[in-house]
């Protein structure tokens, strides 16, 4: 309504997006967090009492105020204890989609392999986010995981580094195949090797073990730090957020 310059509006929208993701999704604070202050700010903007640049600064300050690594760890711990960890995280689709765009840019490619609308549309018995190490593994297919306790397997299964956005919705029963068949099917036609940029990156691994789950998760959190301009602490902090500290005990 105020016909602000495009670059000034873009800066504000960037700040607003960071607030929603970091505060609302990563820290999972209540959806009305900051509402009274932001409603007041909207009125001040409309009446010309505040500039959009001032509003941007305030939103960034509020993001720093409400964001807490400890709060994020606490919320993620509860998701693992009560549900399916990062697979139950309200921000999983958005984060995995953004990570996919990052890999696309990194590969210097133009082709879009994941469509947002299709990615977020539910379809009976189909998934668009797959557990690489599956929910119901076949005995002998995942030897590196079989020596782990049931609790450790739960954490490994539902941690961020084990979740993969698929280029096409896939019947959930195919999610239980071995890693070799996930990478490339028996006919050599379908698999991670020709899927989304995220799938292609995972397909470069010769095997999929707890080590690969951990390292991919840390890499994804490093992307999160760069994309949303925050610090998640040291490597040990990231591993704790991933709920994989049993792999690298202090």
């Amino acid at each position: 309504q105020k016909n602000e310059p495009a670059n000034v509006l873009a800066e504000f929208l960037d700040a607003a997006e960071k607030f929603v993701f970091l505060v609302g999704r990563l820290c999972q604070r209540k959806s009305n967090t900051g509402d009274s202050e932001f409603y007041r700010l909207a009125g001040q903007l409309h009446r010309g009492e505040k500039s959009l640049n001032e509003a941007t600064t305030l939103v960034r300050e509020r993001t720093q105020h409400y964001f807490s690594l400890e709060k994020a760890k606490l919320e993620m711990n509860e998701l693992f204890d009560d549900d399916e960890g990062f697979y139950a995280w309200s921000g999983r689709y958005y984060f995995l989609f953004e990570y996919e765009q990052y890999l696309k840019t990194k590969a210097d490619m133009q082709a879009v392999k994941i469509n947002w609308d299709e990615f977020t549309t539910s379809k009976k018995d189909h998934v668009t986010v797959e557990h690489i190490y599956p929910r119901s593994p076949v005995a002998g297919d995942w030897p590196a995981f079989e020596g782990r306790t049931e609790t450790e397997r739960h954490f490994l299964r539902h941690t961020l580094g084990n979740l993969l956005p698929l280029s096409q919705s896939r019947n959930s029963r195919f999610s239980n195949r071995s890693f070799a068949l996930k990478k490339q099917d028996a006919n050599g036609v379908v698999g991670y090797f020709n899927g989304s940029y995220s799938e292609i990156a995972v397909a470069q691994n010769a095997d999929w073990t707890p080590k690969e789950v951990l390292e991919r998760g840390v890499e994804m959190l490093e992307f999160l730090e760069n994309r949303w301009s925050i610090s998640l602490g040291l490597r040990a902090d990231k591993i704790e957020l991933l709920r994989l500290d049993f792999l690298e005990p202090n």
Side-chain angles (χ1 to χ4, degrees):
Q1 291 181 349
K2 297 292 183 180
N3 295 315
E4 297 281 354
N7 64 315
V8 176
L9 181 59
E11 285 284 315
F12 173 76
L13 293 174
D14 178 70
E17 185 265 355
K18 284 184 170 69
F19 179 90
V20 172
F21 179 77
L22 294 175
V23 176
R25 295 295 181 268
L26 194 57
C27 290
Q28 299 191 73
R29 294 194 185 274
K30 293 180 180 179
S31 59
N32 62 354
T33 298
D35 271 9
S36 58
E37 192 169 11
F38 292 150
Y39 284 138
R40 182 168 62 253
L41 178 61
Q44 291 170 327
L45 273 170
H46 186 68
R47 294 188 296 271
E49 298 166 5
K50 294 270 190 187
S51 69
L52 195 54
N53 281 328
E54 289 176 309
T56 300
T57 298
L58 188 142
V59 172
R60 286 173 176 161
E61 289 173 351
R62 293 293 87 192
T63 302
Q64 292 178 352
H65 174 74
Y66 286 114
F67 175 76
S68 163
L69 177 56
E70 293 309 311
K71 170 71 170 168
K73 287 179 181 178
L74 177 64
E75 293 298 331
M76 236 12 89
N77 281 341
E78 289 189 3
L79 280 179
F80 274 102
D81 293 339
D82 301 334
D83 211 327
E84 294 183 313
F86 278 93
Y87 192 73
W89 178 37
S90 62
R92 69 189 183 282
Y93 285 110
Y94 186 65
F95 174 79
L96 291 172
F97 186 81
E98 286 292 297
Y99 186 64
E100 170 75 7
Q101 304 317 301
Y102 158 72
L103 293 178
K104 171 177 170 289
T105 301
K106 185 179 177 182
D108 194 26
M109 300 295 286
Q110 298 298 318
V112 175
K113 291 177 175 283
I114 291 182
N115 175 280
W116 173 254
D117 290 336
E118 293 176 1
F119 183 52
T120 56
T121 299
S122 297
K123 184 179 177 182
K124 190 178 187 315
D125 296 329
H126 280 62
V127 295
T128 53
V129 175
E130 178 170 281
H131 294 77
I132 304 171
Y133 167 56
R135 281 192 177 105
S136 303
V138 175
D141 279 354
W142 302 86
F145 295 87
E146 290 179 2
R148 296 286 172 180
T149 68
E150 183 177 344
T151 298
E152 289 174 346
R153 291 197 300 271
H154 171 73
F155 292 155
L156 284 162
R157 185 173 292 118
H158 300 304
T159 193
L160 187 61
N162 194 54
L163 301 183
L164 190 63
L166 304 175
S167 59
Q168 293 185 330
S169 176
R170 190 172 299 158
N171 193 298
S172 57
R173 66 186 175 88
F174 291 123
S175 297
N176 295 326
R177 298 180 301 177
S178 68
F179 185 61
L181 282 177
K182 283 173 180 276
K183 288 202 297 181
Q184 189 166 322
D185 68 15
N187 297 318
V189 177
V190 178
Y192 292 164
F193 82 100
N194 62 0
S196 66
Y197 294 104
S198 300
E199 290 177 83
I200 292 169
V202 166
Q204 305 312 304
N205 292 282
D207 197 2
W208 195 251
T209 71
K211 181 179 183 296
E212 279 72 34
V213 174
L214 173 67
E215 295 304 330
R216 181 170 180 260
V218 170
E219 180 182 309
M220 293 168 86
L221 291 185
E222 289 172 348
F223 158 74
L224 191 155
E225 288 181 312
N226 292 326
R227 166 65 177 80
W228 284 278
S229 307
I230 58 160
S231 172
L232 296 176
L234 302 174
R235 177 181 171 88
D237 294 301
K238 296 181 181 69
I239 292 173
E240 185 181 349
L241 182 60
L242 295 168
R243 203 65 188 271
L244 297 177
D245 38 325
F246 60 89
L247 293 177
E248 287 192 12
N250 293 327

